[in-house]
Amino acid sequence: MAIIEDISHIKKLEEARRQTEQFLRAILDHTGEAVIAIDERGLVTEFNRMAETVFGYAADEVLGKNVNMLMPDPDRTGHDGYIKSYLETGVAKIIGIGREVRGCRKDGAVFPVGLTVAETAVGGKKNFVGTLRDLTERKRLQAQLLQAQKMEAVGQLTGGIAHDFNNLLTVVLGNTEILSEALAGDPNLKRAADMAG
């Protein structure tokens, strides 16, 4: 006696899973933000195309390595302790929306990063997914705006001082004219008054 089992439904499930993975990969690789996932040991499990662009590493240079390689000191040395502390106490120091931290590119350049970290669970193990945005350009524009505002304030102050000085000068010149007319009878004193005006 032979038992025949229809496994076509298993193949359909595998195909559906493969398509879902391709769809999710496309989303990750075409988002405008860097996406990095790590496991509870701090090892990188996901590194999308934008993360490659932002940090200068190819994904295969980072996957399976500690995420702290993307951080400058002192964050690099403290990061594993943050994860360990969180797993032991539940007190989150890195989880949240809109934190500003510093990143370290492959070439060693340190740059400002906007970071949002979420916790997930896969197979009973905690994982963390971070979305990151390079803030270098925003910081540069903010610095330019601040400089422009300072220059505007200096210009307004200078204009005010010039206006006040002009008012004082007008008073001095007016008094000098009055003095010159009053001294018209004495040529030596009139000449001195005229030189002052």
Side-chain angles (χ1 to χ4, degrees):
M1 174 173 184
I3 298 176
I4 299 175
E5 185 177 344
D6 181 9
I7 60 169
S8 62
H9 66 284
I10 294 174
K11 288 184 179 186
K12 287 179 184 176
L13 288 174
E14 288 175 359
E15 178 61 21
R17 183 184 56 78
R18 187 186 64 74
Q19 288 177 356
T20 301
E21 286 176 358
Q22 287 177 339
F23 177 71
L24 292 174
R25 170 55 49 202
I27 291 171
L28 280 176
D29 282 342
H30 293 92
T31 185
E33 299 203 6
V35 178
I36 302 171
I38 63 171
D39 64 17
E40 58 188 28
R41 296 171 298 162
L43 303 181
V44 177
T45 59
E46 186 60 53
F47 197 77
N48 75 342
R49 285 185 188 161
M50 185 56 77
E52 290 178 325
T53 300
V54 168
F55 288 95
Y57 288 98
D60 61 358
E61 294 177 279
V62 178
L63 292 172
K65 296 198 171 114
N66 195 304
V67 72
N68 66 14
M69 70 185 280
L70 304 174
M71 303 169 193
D73 278 325
D75 302 323
R76 176 178 291 161
T77 54
H79 187 265
D80 292 345
Y82 298 150
I83 293 176
K84 183 179 179 197
S85 174
Y86 174 70
L87 293 173
E88 291 173 357
T89 67
V91 177
K93 291 186 180 181
I94 59 171
I95 296 176
I97 296 173
R99 293 179 50 100
E100 187 173 320
V101 297
R102 296 176 316 140
C104 186
R105 299 187 208 283
K106 184 177 182 177
D107 65 7
V110 176
F111 64 102
V113 176
L115 171 67
T116 298
V117 177
E119 179 184 339
T120 64
V122 177
K125 301 247 183 206
K126 292 183 190 268
N127 291 270
F128 304 93
V129 177
T131 55
L132 303 94
R133 178 173 289 167
D134 183 348
L135 299 179
T136 303
E137 183 64 15
R138 184 189 327 176
K139 292 288 186 181
R140 187 185 67 74
L141 291 173
Q142 285 174 340
Q144 282 182 342
L145 177 61
L146 182 61
Q147 184 64 24
Q149 288 171 336
K150 285 180 186 178
M151 295 304 291
E152 181 181 353
V154 167
Q156 288 176 351
L157 178 63
T158 304
I161 290 171
H163 180 73
D164 290 347
F165 183 73
N166 190 36
N167 287 343
L168 290 173
L169 190 57
T170 300
V171 170
V172 169
L173 290 175
N175 286 335
T176 304
E177 267 184 50
I178 292 170
L179 181 62
S180 179
E181 289 174 14
L183 298 174
D186 187 341
N188 288 333
L189 290 176
K190 181 173 181 347
R191 194 174 325 115
D194 288 342
M195 287 175 55

